């Protein structure tokens, strides 16, 4: 059976390599609640024999309630098999597996939570400090494509938000490059590494050895393809998912600031071989702080829109729930750091202190962190003011000029 006339909908094979990665962090904490699975539900065959992923229902069938199978639940304790099940391959031949798993309007019982945990098992890095593999990065692409334009069933949003947070760098780069042609659904570290001038289209301060999801990749098929902006808008309806995304963006903002020089410049900047008036050591940092403000402003824009269309019926209750799920404030280190952590560690960085002030005033939260960084690092006042203005402009543009 073909999906869109070009994709192979055959189900991905599973090998029987057990082992729980059990990442002791917030994005991974919910994995500790393991579900007992009957031995009869998961038949372990001899080495080298594959086991198919069994799913009830079809891609878009009108179903009153989709039941998650015991075999699918078993993937919670087998992350490598979960990755194999959702990995669409370099040519996306198996992308139908993610669609069959996730594209349901209603899920029975705790099915939505279980599927969110399966997504996390398939796409998350194995442990703190461990980079994503290409298979995991491709699986993240397949998941984002599978849920494109889907009104998510209740309970699935937090799991998908954790995946977006886990790939916070890649999701952000997608928003800048959109559908630009890239080599495939994921790229290796070698393909993503910076140029001689210290620049990479896949982001700044990239961890060595880590694969990256190219969410903007499109082949010649009619789809489905990921749309991170639309996914974030859908996830923003759920207060827990909103908090997860907001935490990840603020964590990445602090991550960038603590890697800039004391002059607010990029330590990786290399002058081009030929003099270029447009090439400056402040270009990268300027883009980084603008991106953070744009992403956070967009979150607040989605919040406003969901209130306006009645999706969020009680804004005060929504905001209280967001605050309960928010981990805290993320402040950059007082001295410049040279480390290059993996994406999962960026999103899971420890909090510095509880949130102060109005959490949903994203501009205030950004200013508070930026001002503290400039003071700790003795950043020249002119440079600090310029960066603050960039944050202000980007936030206001994202929040207000796009609410229509």
């Amino acid at each position: 059976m073909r999906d869109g006339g070009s994709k192979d909908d055959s189900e991905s094979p599973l090998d029987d390599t057990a082992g729980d990665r059990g990442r002791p962090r917030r994005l991974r904490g919910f994995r500790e609640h393991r579900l007992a699975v009957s031995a009869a539900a998961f038949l372990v065959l001899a080495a080298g024999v594959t086991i198919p992923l069994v799913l009830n229902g079809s891609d878009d069938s009108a179903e009153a309630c989709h039941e998650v199978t015991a075999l699918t639940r078993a993937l919670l304790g087998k992350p490598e098999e979960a990755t194999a099940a959702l990995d669409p391959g370099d040519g996306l031949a198996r992308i139908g597996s993610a669609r069959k798993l996730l594209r349901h309007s209603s899920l029975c019982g705790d099915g939505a939570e279980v599927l969110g945990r399966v997504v996390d098992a398939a796409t998350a890095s194995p442990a703190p400090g461990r980079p994503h593999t290409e298979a995991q990065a491709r699986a993240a692409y397949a998941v984002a494509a599978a849920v494109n334009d889907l009104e998510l069933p209740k309970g699935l949003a937090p799991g998908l938000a954790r995946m977006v947070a886990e790939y916070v760098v890649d999701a952000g780069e997608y928003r800048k490059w959109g559908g630009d042609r890239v080599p495939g659904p994921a790229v290796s570290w070698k393909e993503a590494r910076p140029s001689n001038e210290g620049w990479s289209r896949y982001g700044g301060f990239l961890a060595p050895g880590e694969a990256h999801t190219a969410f903007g990749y499109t082949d010649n098929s009619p789809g489905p393809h990921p749309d991170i902006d639309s996914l974030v808008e859908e996830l923003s309806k759920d207060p827990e998912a909103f908090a997860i995304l907001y935490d990840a963006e603020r964590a990445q903002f602090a991550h960038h600031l603590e890697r800039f020089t004391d002059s607010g410049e990029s330590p990786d900047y290399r002058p081009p071989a030929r003099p270029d008036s447009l090439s400056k050591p402040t270009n990268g940092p300027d883009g980084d702080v603008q991106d953070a403000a744009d992403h956070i402003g967009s979150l607040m824009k989605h919040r406003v829109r969901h209130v306006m269309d009645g999706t969020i019926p009680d804004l005060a209750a929504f905001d209280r729930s967001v605050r309960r799920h928010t981990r805290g404030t993320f402040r950059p280190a007082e001295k410049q750091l040279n480390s290059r952590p993996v994406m999962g560690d960026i999103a899971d960085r420890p909090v510095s202190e509880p949130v102060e002030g109005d959490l949903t005033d994203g501009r205030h939260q950004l200013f508070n962190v930026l001002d503290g960084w400039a003071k700790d690092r003795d950043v020249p006042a002119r440079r600090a003011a310029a960066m603050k203005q960039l944050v202000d402009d980007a936030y206001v543009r994202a929040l207000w000029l796009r609410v229509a």
Side-chain angles (χ1 to χ4, degrees):
M1 181 179 179
R2 299 282 175 176
D3 181 10
S6 62
K7 302 301 177 199
D8 184 356
D9 264 359
S10 60
E11 295 151 9
S12 302
L14 306 178
D15 59 38
D16 191 35
T17 50
D20 183 0
R21 294 180 297 186
R23 198 169 184 171
R25 308 184 307 173
R26 181 178 185 262
L27 296 186
R28 244 38 80 221
F30 64 100
R31 289 197 198 136
E32 297 174 359
H33 303 289
R34 301 301 181 198
L35 298 172
V37 180
S38 169
F42 195 83
L43 180 62
V44 180
L45 303 182
V49 179
T50 59
I51 302 172
L53 175 61
V54 178
L55 297 166
N56 293 338
S58 59
D59 290 10
D60 298 298
S61 60
E63 51 191 350
C65 176
H66 175 80
E67 187 73 44
V68 175
T69 66
L71 185 56
T72 299
R73 290 173 182 271
L75 296 176
L76 294 174
K78 298 179 180 293
E80 292 181 9
E81 292 178 5
T83 300
L86 294 181
D87 178 4
D90 285 330
L92 302 182
R94 300 188 302 275
I95 198 167
S97 292
R99 189 175 178 86
K100 288 179 181 179
L101 180 72
L102 296 166
R103 200 161 183 86
H104 303 286
S105 58
S106 178
L107 291 156
C108 306
D110 65 345
E113 180 189 352
V114 170
L115 291 186
R117 292 164 61 192
V118 169
V119 166
D120 186 76
T123 60
S125 59
R130 293 280 298 278
H132 293 117
T133 66
E134 288 184 58
Q136 290 170 331
R138 289 193 300 265
Y141 178 97
V143 169
V147 298
N148 187 21
D149 292 331
L150 176 68
E151 186 172 348
L152 300 177
K154 183 176 177 60
L156 183 57
L160 295 178
R162 290 183 178 95
M163 186 200 76
V164 175
E166 180 81 14
Y167 291 82
V168 62
V169 175
D170 300 342
E173 291 305 307
Y174 164 89
R175 298 176 190 186
K176 288 192 291 186
W177 298 109
D180 283 7
R181 191 69 184 177
V182 288
V187 296
S188 68
W189 154 244
K190 291 182 179 180
E191 294 171 299
R193 62 187 172 187
S195 65
N196 292 334
E197 287 77 35
W199 180 87
S200 170
R201 69 172 301 166
Y202 299 99
F205 312 126
L206 302 181
E210 181 160 53
H212 292 269
T213 303
F215 288 112
Y217 172 72
T218 56
D219 57 9
N220 294 323
S221 73
H225 301 111
D227 185 339
I228 295 298
D229 285 328
S230 294
L231 177 56
V232 168
E233 182 175 5
E234 177 68 22
L235 294 174
S236 299
K237 299 175 182 178
D238 183 282
E240 181 178 0
F242 187 101
I244 291 168
L245 296 173
Y246 192 19
D247 278 354
E249 294 295 351
R250 291 182 299 114
Q252 185 173 220
F253 183 61
H255 162 82
H256 282 302
L257 289 176
E258 64 194 6
R259 281 159 182 81
F260 299 160
T261 69
D262 292 347
S263 299
E265 299 177 347
S266 171
D268 296 335
Y269 173 78
R270 302 292 181 272
R274 295 182 179 180
D276 181 357
S277 61
L278 298 179
S279 179
K280 301 177 182 178
T282 56
N283 286 352
D286 285 352
D288 290 335
V289 298
Q290 284 178 301
D291 289 344
D294 178 83
H295 299 165
I296 291 174
S298 293
L299 277 174
M300 300 307 165
K301 169 195 67 178
H302 297 321
R303 168 177 164 270
V304 170
R305 283 182 172 173
H306 292 323
V307 171
M308 293 172 64
D309 66 17
T311 303
I312 298 176
D314 187 336
L315 179 58
F318 180 89
D319 288 350
R320 286 194 299 271
S321 183
V322 169
R323 192 166 189 121
R324 285 196 303 271
H325 289 292
T326 298
R327 293 196 289 141
T329 295
F330 306 92
R331 294 194 179 278
E334 294 182 359
K335 295 182 179 179
Q336 183 182 350
L337 300 184
N338 298 316
S339 59
R340 300 292 184 263
V342 298
M343 286 184 285
D345 288 357
I346 295 173
D348 276 338
R349 69 179 287 143
V351 297
S352 305
E353 59 193 41
V355 173
E356 295 181 358
D358 183 358
L359 176 63
T360 55
D361 183 349
R363 180 166 53 175
H364 167 75
Q365 297 298 329
L366 288 166
F367 283 175
N368 187 26
V369 172
L370 181 63
D371 289 343
W373 166 78
K375 181 179 180 181
D376 289 342
R377 298 280 294 277
D378 197 22
V379 178
R382 184 174 181 179
R383 174 59 180 153
M387 295 174 72
K388 192 169 184 177
Q389 187 63 57
L390 290 171
V391 168
D392 193 24
D393 292 346
Y395 182 85
V396 171
R397 183 169 57 247
L399 176 60
W400 295 113
L401 298 188
R402 297 182 188 177
V403 174

